[in-house]
Amino acid sequence: LFRSLHRAGKEVTLLEWSRSLGGRASTRNVGYRTMDAGAQRIDLSPLASNQLETDARALLRAVAIERGVLQHALPFPSPIFRFDGRSIQTAHEVEVPNWSYLEGGMSVLADALVKDIKVRTHTRISDIVIEKDKYQLRNQRGEVTPSDGVVIALPAPYALAMLLPHAEKNKKIKRITDLFNDVNYEPMIGAMFGTTRIDFREPFTSLFTDDITAPIFWLSQESRRRALGIRREEMAFVLQLGAEISRDYVLKSDKETFVAVERVFEEVLDVALPDIVYGEIQRWPAAFLSSSPFTVDTIKEGEFKVPLYLAGDYIAGQSSMASAFWSGKQIADRLVGVDTFQFIENPAREQARLDEEEWKAVVPPMRLPRKSVRPQR
């Protein structure tokens, strides 16, 4: 969205409440190792299960080519197993030739998209002041940013919290906030951690299921796709819990959550999990969209004198990286008044690219060998 507007010649500023960009496609450095906290792969296969996703992937692929992403996208290493998410006994190997990942992590894609765009991280907008000819955006520090238009690109619960204070005084906003009551999500908890070596009965790079209610939705061995200086007797994992278990732990402490992660790991994989030597928990209260009454036409063009739009998975009606791109492009088309796809190859304003080293993953420092010292007689 913001990149499309920038390339079309518009002045845009991205206000991000997190420490880094990417949202559910963010990356963390855990134990000095680059790990994707949310989205684990990019799927650029031309055909999808529905027409919207097919069109969305075509858009994502065009942007990836223009931004130079494809030359840094690595094929997902095999073996990859699909299973029911409940028992390793149901796993069977599958071919996924269109799966890719970024060596430096998924958030590098977001960094590539906003190169040369004004970005302010650690900026949580606490209030939108609606005036006749503009908006005033106030953050948690009391700082105010004026704007000639606002696009709220947040999961539905957070977008609702931002608009709700204005619902009683503005009938148009009240109509929108009422629709949020019918937007439903399922949560997900991600655990990124390292252990000593585990002897699995059969090696794998990743295990996945399409059942979001299963105990394990995704499990990958990071040492098989990003070596990152992982030591000989060490292993690193990304494990994503399904919605049912995540619902029970989304508000609990990291200590309690890691206990659940250990239990699920051992039950599903039928193997003992050694002590976790480092780790981090990532919580997504709004991870999987299950229902939404919103469409791109919910807010009519020109409905607000000063442009106000919503973008996100609940607008597209499905959760995927490609559909997020598609949702943003629909809003950019309205704001510019033309199909912004034309600005991918013929931009009104050029945009710089990331330096080569920024695409690389973080490599942990290696341990120096200890020198043996003989005692003096």
Side-chain angles (χ1 to χ4, degrees):
L1 165 62
F2 295 97
R3 178 191 162 282
S4 296
L5 293 173
H6 174 82
R7 301 275 284 187
K10 301 294 183 180
E11 293 293 333
V12 295
T13 300
L14 173 58
L15 305 178
E16 169 62 50
W17 70 352
S18 181
R19 57 184 173 179
S20 61
L21 304 178
R24 284 171 290 184
S26 62
T27 304
R28 297 285 182 263
N29 293 327
V30 184
Y32 291 103
R33 287 151 184 83
T34 299
M35 296 189 186
D36 292 316
Q40 298 293 307
R41 62 186 185 270
I42 299 176
D43 190 341
L44 297 176
S45 53
L47 297 177
S49 58
N50 59 71
Q51 188 59 48
L52 187 150
E53 182 69 11
T54 298
D55 295 342
R57 287 185 186 180
L59 171 66
L60 176 57
R61 184 174 182 83
V63 173
I65 292 173
E66 187 277 327
R67 285 283 79 203
V69 175
L70 290 189
Q71 67 191 65
H72 300 285
L74 305 176
F76 218 95
S78 57
I80 298 171
F81 290 85
R82 184 194 298 270
F83 75 137
D84 66 359
R86 293 172 169 80
S87 172
I88 190 65
Q89 302 299 326
T90 65
H92 60 279
E93 189 172 355
V94 294
E95 297 292 332
V96 284
N98 294 300
W99 281 17
S100 301
Y101 71 99
L102 300 178
E103 184 181 355
M106 288 296 182
S107 63
V108 184
L109 172 59
D111 294 337
L113 294 174
V114 300
K115 190 70 173 176
D116 281 356
I117 293 177
K118 296 178 183 177
V119 177
R120 294 185 62 184
T121 57
H122 297 88
T123 301
R124 178 175 55 83
I125 300 303
S126 56
D127 186 28
I128 299 177
V129 180
I130 302 176
E131 300 180 352
K132 290 184 179 180
D133 57 348
K134 63 181 177 180
Y135 296 106
Q136 299 280 0
L137 308 178
R138 184 177 292 110
N139 67 21
Q140 77 277 19
R141 295 181 292 273
E143 301 166 340
V144 175
T145 302
S147 178
D148 296 327
V150 172
V151 179
I152 302 175
L154 294 169
Y158 310 112
L160 171 60
M162 193 167 294
L163 293 175
L164 198 56
H166 305 281
E168 294 305 319
K169 296 181 180 180
N170 190 310
K171 293 182 179 180
K172 295 178 181 178
I173 292 180
K174 179 66 164 61
R175 178 183 69 85
I176 295 170
T177 56
D178 286 345
L179 292 175
F180 278 112
N181 294 324
D182 294 322
V183 178
N184 295 294
Y185 285 93
E186 294 289 356
M188 184 186 76
I189 290 177
M192 299 157 283
F193 58 93
T195 70
T196 54
R197 181 160 293 279
I198 304 172
D199 292 324
F200 292 105
R201 296 177 182 176
E202 188 170 3
F204 65 89
T205 299
S206 67
L207 296 164
F208 76 98
T209 181
D210 297 322
D211 182 0
I212 65 170
T213 66
I216 292 182
F217 181 72
W218 171 273
L219 175 66
S220 60
Q221 293 189 51
E222 294 302 286
S223 54
R224 296 183 67 90
R225 63 170 169 169
R226 293 189 182 103
L228 300 180
I230 291 178
R231 302 173 185 108
R232 182 179 301 176
E233 297 302 320
E234 182 179 277
M235 302 184 81
F237 298 92
V238 173
L239 184 150
Q240 294 175 343
L241 296 172
E244 289 187 359
I245 294 180
S246 295
R247 201 177 298 117
D248 294 334
Y249 287 88
V250 73
L251 296 178
K252 293 187 178 180
S253 67
D254 286 1
K255 184 177 180 180
E256 292 173 297
T257 305
F258 265 121
V259 170
V261 166
E262 293 175 8
R263 172 177 56 81
V264 170
F265 188 101
E266 294 183 342
E267 289 178 354
V268 174
L269 274 72
D270 193 24
V271 67
L273 179 64
D275 290 339
I276 294 176
V277 295
Y278 62 84
E280 182 175 318
I281 296 292
Q282 180 71 49
R283 293 173 174 82
W284 312 99
F288 304 103
L289 180 71
S290 54
S291 65
S292 173
F294 283 90
T295 69
V296 293
D297 296 319
T298 297
I299 297 180
K300 305 297 182 183
E301 189 171 354
E303 182 172 353
F304 291 89
K305 183 178 180 181
V306 184
L308 173 67
Y309 288 106
L310 304 173
D313 56 0
Y314 64 98
I315 301 297
Q318 61 184 36
S319 297
S320 75
M321 185 182 298
S323 64
F325 273 71
W326 181 89
S327 168
K329 178 184 175 299
Q330 309 311 307
I331 304 305
D333 291 353
R334 290 189 173 194
L335 290 170
V336 177
V338 298
D339 184 353
T340 54
F341 192 87
Q342 63 183 289
F343 297 112
I344 294 178
E345 294 186 357
N346 300 299
R349 174 186 289 146
E350 292 292 341
Q351 187 170 311
R353 295 179 181 273
L354 288 183
D355 295 332
E356 192 73 18
E357 60 270 16
E358 294 185 70
W359 291 92
K360 305 301 181 183
V362 172
V363 179
M366 299 300 293
R367 289 177 180 171
L368 296 176
R370 294 182 179 180
K371 295 182 178 179
S372 59
V373 180
R374 293 183 179 181
Q376 296 286 335
R377 286 190 177 183

